[in-house]
Amino acid sequence: MAKLKHFGILKIKHFVIFLTLLVLGSCKNEPKHLTKLTGRQIAIDSSNILVDSIQDFITPYHNRVEQILDSTIAYAPFTISKTDGKFNTTAGNLMADIVMSETNPIFQKRTGNTIDFVLLNHGGIRSIISKGNVTARTAYEVMPFENSVVVVELKAESLLKMVDYLIKAKRAHPVAGIQLILNKDNTVNSFTIGGKPIAMNRTYFVATSDYLVTGGDNMDFFKDAVSKTETDYKIRNAMIDFFSKVDTLSPKVDLRYYQLQ
């Protein structure tokens, strides 16, 4: 173990690596390879002491982030929720419309094609948008996940599977660009895309989330994709971009998906 006498001349930032190597290399009677790895959980609570130098370094950045997140970028004249409608909701319609309007220019520039419609999932909306000022933090509360927009090309047959899924799901999954009308017995009265009946001899470009593309929420019809285009555009960022462009949010429960009475 004589080599350890010279350890003091090494720079502090290297001490963990060099100490380990010196101990393993100098103690001939000890194993020269890793034989066991253990760990323990260290709780972070009020008993932990702040290191002033680290706190002083972090504080300006923390304050700046908080300022950006809490800066008002739009206004909601009423509470926007995912529970204020049976087949479509104000929150769902807002999110689907945002994905359509903000992602379509990106998709067009990259591919020359146009998004036909949007389908998201009801469970992906994690918070209401309260009446009052809307901030970037609002977008993080509504969409805390890192989901990004993917545009999937689907055949008409796959869209019929999607319609069947929506009817059986009985949830207000957010949609934009389509109209689905059900009869009283839950059969399809009409299904249109961009105001036109579905054409069985063509494919359609559907904007959705990367979570759903892999079969999330049992949306297995996305696995039939003819092509996929990654936009690298987070849904949350699309929301922030949209909020920054408008003064007042005014989504409505409408006739994009409803049932005849």
Side-chain angles (χ1 to χ4, degrees):
M1 303 290 285
K3 292 184 179 180
L4 290 178
K5 294 180 181 179
H6 303 291
F7 181 69
I9 65 173
L10 297 174
K11 293 183 178 180
I12 294 297
K13 65 180 179 179
H14 300 305
F15 82 93
V16 175
I17 297 174
F18 279 95
L19 178 58
T20 303
L21 294 176
L22 287 171
V23 170
L24 292 177
S26 61
C27 300
K28 296 181 179 180
N29 295 328
E30 295 182 10
K32 294 184 179 180
H33 59 277
L34 183 65
T35 58
K36 185 179 181 181
L37 182 64
T38 60
R40 63 190 178 92
Q41 187 177 37
I42 301 175
I44 299 177
D45 52 34
S46 58
S47 65
N48 294 102
I49 301 174
L50 291 175
V51 178
D52 290 340
S53 59
I54 296 177
Q55 186 68 19
D56 291 343
F57 179 80
I58 293 175
T59 296
Y61 297 97
H62 173 269
N63 292 344
R64 178 56 178 162
V65 170
E66 292 295 305
Q67 179 185 4
I68 292 172
L69 287 176
D70 290 329
S71 296
T72 300
I73 51 179
Y75 180 77
F78 52 84
T79 297
I80 299 169
S81 169
K82 71 172 185 179
T83 61
D84 52 11
K86 182 177 181 181
F87 293 96
N88 68 90
T89 68
T90 53
N93 292 350
L94 177 64
M95 286 191 66
D97 289 345
I98 286 174
V99 169
M100 175 73 89
S101 66
E102 301 305 303
T103 308
N104 200 39
I106 298 172
F107 182 64
Q108 285 181 316
K109 187 174 182 179
R110 293 186 184 180
T111 67
N113 296 309
T114 300
I115 294 172
D116 292 296
F117 67 92
V118 174
L119 171 62
L120 302 173
N121 62 316
H122 183 265
I125 304 171
R126 307 302 288 198
S127 174
I128 63 171
I129 297 178
S130 300
K131 178 181 177 180
N133 293 335
V134 175
T135 66
R137 190 184 298 278
T138 304
Y140 278 83
E141 292 169 348
V142 175
M143 175 54 67
F145 312 111
E146 296 299 308
N147 294 127
S148 58
V149 181
V150 178
V151 181
V152 180
E153 184 180 7
L154 291 177
K155 294 180 179 179
E157 291 85 350
S158 298
L159 299 191
L160 297 182
K161 294 180 184 179
M162 180 197 75
V163 170
D164 186 57
Y165 171 89
L166 291 174
I167 294 172
K168 291 179 179 178
K170 297 181 179 180
R171 301 187 75 186
H173 290 303
V175 296
I178 69 169
Q179 184 181 50
L180 175 59
I181 305 174
L182 303 182
N183 294 312
K184 291 182 180 181
D185 60 359
N186 288 325
T187 57
V188 177
N189 179 279
S190 67
F191 173 57
T192 57
I193 303 173
K196 299 179 181 179
I198 185 172
M200 298 303 296
N201 61 346
R202 58 159 290 189
T203 60
Y204 291 86
F205 294 103
V206 188
T208 186
S209 76
D210 52 357
Y211 166 70
L212 298 178
V213 165
T214 58
D217 270 9
N218 297 314
M219 294 191 185
D220 295 331
F221 47 86
F222 279 126
K223 295 180 180 179
D224 300 334
V226 176
S227 68
K228 299 177 186 177
T229 302
E230 302 280 351
T231 65
D232 303 314
Y233 192 23
K234 295 188 185 305
I235 296 176
R236 180 197 308 125
N237 292 346
M239 294 176 65
I240 294 172
D241 289 343
F242 179 83
F243 293 164
S244 300
K245 294 176 182 178
V246 301
D247 177 74
T248 303
L249 305 180
S250 55
K252 295 180 175 63
V253 175
D254 55 27
L255 300 179
R256 67 185 68 192
Y257 181 20
Y258 71 100
Q259 187 172 33
L260 298 172
Q261 300 301 315

